[in-house]
Amino acid sequence: KAGVTQTPRYLIKTRGQQVTLSCSPISGHRSVSWYQQTPGQGLQFLFEYFSETQRNKGNFPGRFSGRQFSNSRSEMNVSTLELGDSALYLCASSLVRDWETQYFGPGTRLLVL
Amino acid sequence: AQTVTQSQPEMSVQEAETVTLSCTYDTSESDYYLFWYKQPPSRQMILVIRQEAYKQQNATENRFSVNFQKAAKSFSLKISDSQLGDAAMYFCALGDGANSKLTFGKGITLSVRP
């Protein structure tokens, strides 16, 4: 089975722009979670989607949003980018919401200038 | 709120030796799961081992085993016969049975000396 894929792998944006990141889960996995990884804050949970519904959300401003499609693929969007949004964004998928192991993609490295 | 603490930022081990990475956690949930993930320089998070809180038996995966002390809320990872490929950052993570959110520790950087 193919693993979790994320596109793009690297991205450079400037402050004020918006960005969309994509995640394709492992085939058959229905839950997709997003995490932000930075040197200062470590790994922080953004949100989780299951059956096209956001079921859990972390403590991030409303500029961070996401969605899930009927084929379980997910996108996250960050609007009005700030320098502090520079991070590795990791997507993880699992079979169902409760409780299966989460398998991670390679991440998208976002640099905001 | 759930917390995961990895107090050692770095550790080093000689190739072929054994090393133990420490992790403590706190949760008010009765149903939860614990994980160790490995993140090599490629930044790909790789599952090392998983432990269900309701299981008394410690999980084992080849050279990797855990010491799960539920009452002490401790979850350490033992790597036996360390290999150069084990060098990476290791994260301890806690998930509860109610949702899919994982809470991670700050991680520990493990280096392996040849």
Side-chain angles (χ1 to χ4, degrees), chain B residues 43-54:
Chain B
R43 309 304 296 275
Q44 172 85 53
M45 294 282 279
I46 301 164
L47 174 70
V48 176
I49 201 163
R50 162 192 167 118
Q51 174 80 44
E52 290 85 351
Y54 63 84

Side-chain angles (χ1 to χ4, degrees), chain A residues 43-57:
Chain A
L43 280 147
Q44 294 184 287
F45 173 79
L46 280 156
F47 28 65
E48 182 242 349
Y49 287 87
F50 179 77
S51 292
E52 302 178 64
T53 301
Q54 185 183 90
R55 300 234 277 198
N56 206 0
K57 190 176 191 303

Side-chain angles (χ1 to χ4, degrees), chain B residues 2-24:
Chain B
Q2 299 183 116
T3 60
V4 176
T5 302
Q6 294 179 255
S7 56
Q8 307 153 302
E10 295 179 357
M11 285 197 76
S12 180
V13 63
Q14 190 75 36
E15 195 176 5
E17 297 294 309
T18 296
V19 64
T20 298
L21 311 183
S22 302
C23 172
T24 58

Side-chain angles (χ1 to χ4, degrees), chain A residues 9-105:
Chain A
R9 294 292 310 279
Y10 303 93
L11 209 48
I12 300 175
K13 292 286 188 179
T14 56
R15 275 182 302 175
Q17 287 186 311
Q18 76 165 15
V19 67
T20 299
L21 312 182
S22 180
C23 172
S24 292
I26 292 171
S27 177
H29 285 197
R30 295 171 62 191
S31 171
V32 174
S33 299
W34 289 89
Y35 295 84
Q36 181 196 64
Q37 186 177 21
T38 60
Q41 298 299 317
L43 280 147
Q44 294 184 287
F45 173 79
L46 280 156
F47 28 65
E48 182 242 349
Y49 287 87
F50 179 77
S51 292
E52 302 178 64
T53 301
Q54 185 183 90
R55 300 234 277 198
N56 206 0
K57 190 176 191 303
N59 295 324
F60 279 82
R63 300 185 297 107
F64 292 81
S65 63
R67 59 178 176 168
Q68 186 180 35
F69 302 94
S70 58
N71 61 358
S72 295
R73 189 177 71 84
S74 177
E75 289 181 347
M76 68 162 280
N77 184 275
V78 188
S79 62
T80 319
L81 284 165
E82 300 178 359
L83 296 179
D85 296 333
S86 294
L88 179 68
Y89 290 88
L90 292 164
C91 164
S93 76
S94 60
L95 275 170
V96 294
R97 180 190 178 203
D98 8 306
W99 226 107
E100 297 289 340
T101 299
Q102 294 187 18
Y103 295 90
F104 283 81

Side-chain angles (χ1 to χ4, degrees), chain B residues 65-113:
Chain B
S65 61
V66 299
N67 183 4
F68 174 46
Q69 301 289 327
K70 191 171 183 178
K73 293 184 177 177
S74 170
F75 182 62
S76 61
L77 175 70
K78 185 171 85 170
I79 306 174
S80 303
D81 186 26
S82 296
Q83 300 175 1
L84 295 177
D86 295 333
M89 186 157 234
Y90 286 81
F91 291 93
C92 177
L94 167 67
D96 68 59
N99 61 70
S100 293
K101 171 187 174 181
L102 285 175
T103 301
F104 285 88
K106 291 289 187 186
I108 177 170
T109 301
L110 176 68
S111 59
V112 181
R113 305 185 303 274

